[in-house]
Amino acid sequence: MPFLGTAFFQRDVVEVARDLVGTELVWHGCSGIIVETEAYAAEGDPACHTATRPSAREFMKSRPPGSAYVYFNYGMYWLFNLLVKGGERDGLILVRALDPRRGIEVMQQRRQREKLHELCSGPGKLAVALAIDGKHHGTPMTGRQRPAGCGLRASATTTEHEVLCDVRVGISQATDFPWRFLAKDNGHVSVRHGRVKKVA
DNA sequence: GGGTTGATGTTC
DNA sequence: AACATCAACCCG
């Protein structure tokens, strides 16, 4: 299966967030199927970093679609996002959970956990499992600059997952935007949830 | 199980 | 001061 190209990230940020569910995030010998994402829109979304952070606006302006946007939160956790621009709505997509596939032993060591569903079932957890931190901010995940060991792959299971949508987790602004997407009945989704609906 | 709380540091 | 979190702890 081929890696996703830059064009995948040149579409509406909410559509891309939905479509990422079921793809495989490949990261330096480790990988997992993305089972949960959230979209944040650069315009008209008070929960997006662009609403409050000049550095986020500068990132959006200067980096190509498909770039990793990595930031530190709550004093302890790195969160991994992907830059979307050039479509109907630009924005950032938070990758919130993975169903682990490759490099499981390494991820178990980094997380100090054995059970598969505890490895990547949350945005902070998956960054620990994949050893993602601030030095990866700006990494191009598509195109010619993409590191050989990193990327998004359309997996065989991409079309097998039924995708649900929900409100976003852990925010205090625009709490009613239904821009969280998750794979139905997947045990690796992070636990909290609001009102889940089917997606077309 | 479910709710609560403390740990921790960057950004504005 | 707020924060796109997590795990340990309580209670039952």
Side-chain angles (χ1 to χ4, degrees):
Chain A
M1 291 283 189
F3 282 98
L4 299 181
T6 304
F8 188 89
F9 296 93
Q10 294 172 313
R11 299 182 294 132
D12 186 285
V13 65
V14 177
E15 275 182 40
V16 177
R18 180 198 64 202
D19 292 348
L20 277 172
V21 175
T23 66
E24 183 180 13
L25 174 60
V26 179
W27 188 263
H28 298 299
C30 295
S31 82
I33 306 296
I34 295 175
V35 293
E36 182 182 350
T37 62
E38 283 175 0
Y40 290 83
E43 309 274 345
D45 179 6
C48 187
H49 278 188
T50 53
T52 55
R53 292 159 90 132
S55 59
R57 293 194 285 274
E58 176 57 28
F59 187 92
M60 297 269 330
K61 199 189 308 179
S62 62
R63 303 296 182 128
S67 297
Y69 175 85
V70 179
Y71 77 99
F72 194 56
N73 203 13
Y74 291 111
M76 328 188 82
Y77 297 105
W78 293 98
L79 304 206
F80 179 82
N81 301 254
L82 291 162
L83 171 58
V84 172
K85 78 195 252 197
E88 195 71 16
R89 284 175 292 191
D90 296 346
L92 297 163
I93 297 173
L94 174 64
V95 179
R96 290 191 54 88
L98 305 177
D99 186 338
R101 291 297 143 113
R102 297 203 22 157
I104 287 174
E105 282 194 19
V106 174
M107 294 196 282
Q108 285 170 323
Q109 286 166 12
R110 290 176 180 146
R111 285 277 301 130
Q112 297 291 108
R113 290 288 186 284
E114 292 289 323
K115 295 175 185 168
L116 295 189
H117 70 270
E118 294 183 344
L119 296 183
C120 301
S121 54
K125 296 178 194 179
L126 76 86
V128 171
L130 299 180
I132 289 171
D133 64 33
K135 69 175 171 290
H136 306 296
H137 186 53
T139 301
M141 297 295 287
T142 63
R144 302 197 71 85
Q145 311 263 49
R146 173 178 67 80
C150 299
L152 284 307
R153 209 152 44 196
S155 78
T157 59
T158 296
T159 53
E160 290 176 13
H161 293 274
E162 189 168 0
V163 179
L164 307 180
C165 96
D166 189 6
V167 294
R168 297 175 293 184
V169 170
I171 55 171
S172 55
Q173 302 281 318
T175 53
D176 56 337
F177 289 19
W179 287 357
R180 180 194 194 203
F181 297 95
L182 43 96
K184 187 183 180 185
D185 298 330
N186 186 289
H188 302 274
V189 169
S190 74
V191 280
R192 298 176 48 190
H193 59 87
R195 294 197 175 170
V196 178
K197 293 178 198 162
K198 264 192 190 180
V199 166

